[in-house]
């Protein structure tokens, strides 16, 4: 059974930091295209970080310079370091393997999500 388990969310004040974790079982991150996504109230699912198996990373302008994705291959865990958080970052954050917002529920795998709430 392929599983993704997320943790690290919670309440934080604007300007603060959080580190989200996503631990995988049933596969390894280093040969899988991975991504962090978020679902904000009244917004569609959106990509916040991509970590492809070829080593390339991608960040949209909304988080570039503030969010950083990384891997710990020993722990088989992917992290999202979130700095200088803003109220508009409030969302449920998900990690996903071999999937995206369009293919969610049809292919690949998603975690259960972790809530991040940023107060001003």
């Amino acid at each position: 059974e392929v599983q993704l388990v997320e943790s690290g969310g919670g309440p934080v004040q604007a300007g603060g930091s959080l580190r989200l974790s996503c631990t995988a079982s049933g596969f390894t991150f280093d040969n899988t295209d991975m991504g962090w996504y978020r679902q904000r109230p009244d917004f569609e699912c959106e990509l916040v970080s991509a970590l492809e198996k070829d080593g390339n990373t991608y960040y949209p302008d909304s988080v570039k310079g503030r969010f950083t994705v990384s891997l710990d291959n020993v722990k088989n865990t992917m992290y999202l370091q979130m700095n200088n958080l803003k109220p508009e970052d409030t969302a449920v954050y998900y990690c996903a393997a071999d999937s995206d917002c369009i293919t969610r529920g049809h292919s690949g795998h998603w975690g259960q999500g972790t809530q991040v709430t940023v107060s001003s």
Side-chain angles (χ1 to χ4, degrees):
E1 177 73 14
V2 174
Q3 289 187 328
L4 300 172
V5 179
E6 297 160 295
S7 62
V12 64
Q13 292 185 342
S17 299
L18 288 173
R19 189 180 72 165
L20 307 183
S21 300
C22 175
T23 300
S25 61
F27 69 98
T28 56
F29 285 120
D30 63 357
N31 58 11
T32 305
D33 292 328
M34 301 294 302
W36 285 97
Y37 298 82
R38 70 185 180 189
Q39 187 77 55
R40 294 185 286 171
D42 299 320
F43 285 80
E44 295 183 351
C45 170
E46 61 183 319
L47 175 71
V48 297
S49 180
L51 178 55
E52 298 174 350
K53 58 186 178 183
D54 61 7
N56 289 331
T57 59
Y58 168 81
Y59 306 91
D61 289 341
S62 59
V63 307
K64 189 176 297 182
R66 300 188 299 118
F67 291 10
T68 304
V69 65
S70 62
L71 283 176
D72 184 332
N73 288 317
V74 174
K75 297 181 179 179
N76 205 34
T77 298
M78 181 175 67
Y79 301 97
L80 184 67
Q81 180 66 46
M82 310 165 68
N83 297 327
N84 299 316
L85 285 161
K86 304 175 181 180
E88 53 262 43
D89 294 321
T90 295
V92 179
Y93 284 76
Y94 302 88
C95 64
D98 285 325
S99 188
D100 55 31
C101 291
I102 295 175
T103 61
R104 182 180 183 180
H106 297 90
S107 62
H109 304 278
W110 286 64
Q112 80 287 351
T114 184
Q115 176 72 49
V116 172
T117 303
V118 185
S119 60
S120 61

